[in-house]
Amino acid sequence: MDTALATAPLTRPSTVHHPLPPGPQAAREARRMAGWLLAVHPVACPHDTTEDILVIVSELTANAVQHARPPYALTFSVEPGRAGIALSDASPALPRQHDGRGPLATRGRGRGLEIIRALGAELFVSRAPLGKQVIAVVTWPEH
């Protein structure tokens, strides 16, 4: 056995790109993948922040499934003090802001981006050749 290989530190990915299934199971798969990366990556992400990140992943994925079209993919990156969550879809339509007074608000719909912002994430939208990415960035103090 090669000693260099035996003593080399295990490398853990800090970014994953994961295609998601179409339909409602996409959010569960996205949460599973994000949770896995948070568990294996050696960053000191506070427990409350980890929970917020998983809610953000769910909201981004649910929004894509509800308002866009497949294929969907999650790109999730984590480093000390910061996580980036990008959800891509094949729809060129950009997310719309809701003022909270329309019929969507009364049915509890149309608030996903508000929830994400309320959890402290910065939101960005990036057009792609075959659709778009909605990106959320979450930061926390390093200890």
Side-chain angles (χ1 to χ4, degrees):
M1 175 179 214
D2 188 341
T3 336
L5 289 177
T7 59
L10 293 175
T11 57
R12 295 184 176 138
S14 60
T15 301
V16 293
H17 179 77
H18 190 69
L20 298 172
Q25 67 272 27
R28 180 181 13 211
E29 180 65 15
R31 276 191 314 273
R32 185 188 68 77
M33 187 53 56
W36 172 81
L37 187 59
L38 287 166
V40 301
H41 198 273
V43 297
C45 182
H47 179 72
D48 289 350
T49 304
T50 297
E51 290 177 353
D52 290 349
I53 288 169
L54 295 177
V55 170
I56 291 166
V57 167
S58 293
E59 288 294 332
L60 286 176
T61 308
N63 283 349
V65 170
Q66 184 174 7
H67 301 290
R69 63 179 181 252
Y72 311 114
L74 170 71
T75 303
F76 184 69
S77 179
V78 64
E79 61 187 70
R82 180 171 56 192
I85 305 128
L87 206 298
S88 60
D89 61 61
S91 175
L94 300 180
R96 292 183 304 180
Q97 297 279 351
H98 294 286
D99 64 7
R101 295 183 301 233
L104 291 177
T106 61
R107 288 184 278 160
R109 296 174 61 193
R111 298 211 175 184
L113 298 180
E114 291 177 33
I115 291 168
I116 292 167
R117 283 190 187 98
L119 292 171
E122 292 182 77
L123 278 170
F124 307 91
V125 178
S126 175
R127 289 190 187 268
L130 300 174
K132 68 178 169 305
Q133 279 192 328
V134 180
I135 304 158
V137 177
V138 178
T139 59
W140 61 89
E142 291 183 62
H143 296 291

